[in-house]
Amino acid sequence: MTDATLARAAPQSGSASVKVWDPFVRIFHWSLVSLFIAAFVTADHFETLHMAAGYALAGLVAARIVWGFIGPPHARFRSFMFAPGTILTFLRDTMRLRAPRHLGHNPAGGLMVLALIAMMLVIAATGHLQTLDAFAEAEWIEDLHEGAVFATLGLIALHLVGVFVASVEHRENLVAAMFTGRKRPLSPTEG
């Protein structure tokens, strides 16, 4: 189902917005932010809190993966998985501030969701491996864990830039949308 189809299917009854992000997606997003920050700041000093945040993060990501298959349309992976050519065209158009507006995740945003989920899985897996006797002294596991964390920080920076650019380009507060779950509907020229 395309964004335009979903926007037309959503009840509008004169409202200036349509529901896009369901409560689970919004809670997941902000919980992931909080848990990542908690795990990052406790890494060297509070091992118990660091591990608790890491396991909670892993459980949250596992739930999001399930939700990506059974959740509402905009939460499903198939709604934001785009061909590489589509992603590259979207990025080129974004550089020119001419990218099309999407009701759900745009091609770059969809790729970012998948990349961040993948990185969280690497971080969680390598963090867990460090707790096992067989890998407790494996320096390469620790290096991979830390490398994945810093790569994720880079992805987060790119994500924030993308949210800012898209918000400016389309005159839409995407941060607010992730709190309220609502965005303005696609206009006939956008869909």
Side-chain angles (χ1 to χ4, degrees):
M1 205 177 262
T2 66
D3 280 346
T5 306
L6 289 169
R8 283 191 276 282
Q12 295 180 16
S13 63
S15 77
S17 66
V18 293
K19 183 179 175 186
V20 178
W21 308 120
D22 64 277
F24 177 84
V25 167
R26 296 186 334 256
I27 292 168
F28 164 81
H29 180 273
W30 296 114
S31 297
L32 189 69
V33 169
S34 301
L35 288 169
F36 186 83
I37 291 169
F40 187 80
V41 300
T42 60
D44 294 327
H45 305 292
F46 303 100
E47 185 176 339
T48 302
L49 287 174
H50 178 75
M51 289 175 50
Y55 283 119
L57 190 144
L60 193 62
V61 170
R64 177 61 181 97
I65 290 170
V66 171
W67 200 244
F69 292 102
I70 66 169
H74 288 297
R76 293 187 184 193
F77 295 128
R78 70 176 180 211
S79 75
F80 56 84
M81 292 183 73
F82 297 88
T86 302
I87 296 168
L88 290 173
T89 298
F90 181 85
L91 290 171
R92 184 192 69 229
D93 290 345
T94 297
M95 298 295 276
R96 298 175 181 154
L97 295 178
R98 293 187 340 202
R101 184 173 164 266
H102 289 255
L103 196 57
H105 287 99
N106 63 46
L111 180 61
M112 183 59 72
V113 169
L114 298 175
L116 286 170
I117 286 174
M119 293 308 294
M120 293 297 158
L121 291 174
V122 170
I123 291 167
T126 55
H128 175 68
L129 287 175
Q130 290 180 72
T131 68
L132 304 177
D133 290 341
F135 296 99
E137 301 300 320
E139 195 171 312
W140 70 271
I141 296 283
E142 183 178 350
D143 292 344
L144 181 57
H145 183 73
E146 288 180 9
V149 168
F150 286 103
T152 300
L153 288 172
L155 289 174
I156 291 167
L158 283 175
H159 174 57
L160 293 173
V161 168
V163 167
F164 175 77
V165 169
S167 292
V168 169
E169 179 179 13
H170 301 297
R171 294 177 179 86
E172 181 168 54
N173 187 337
L174 294 179
V175 175
M178 193 49 72
F179 280 106
T180 67
R182 302 186 72 81
K183 293 174 74 175
R184 78 175 187 278
L186 292 175
S187 71
T189 59
E190 294 174 316

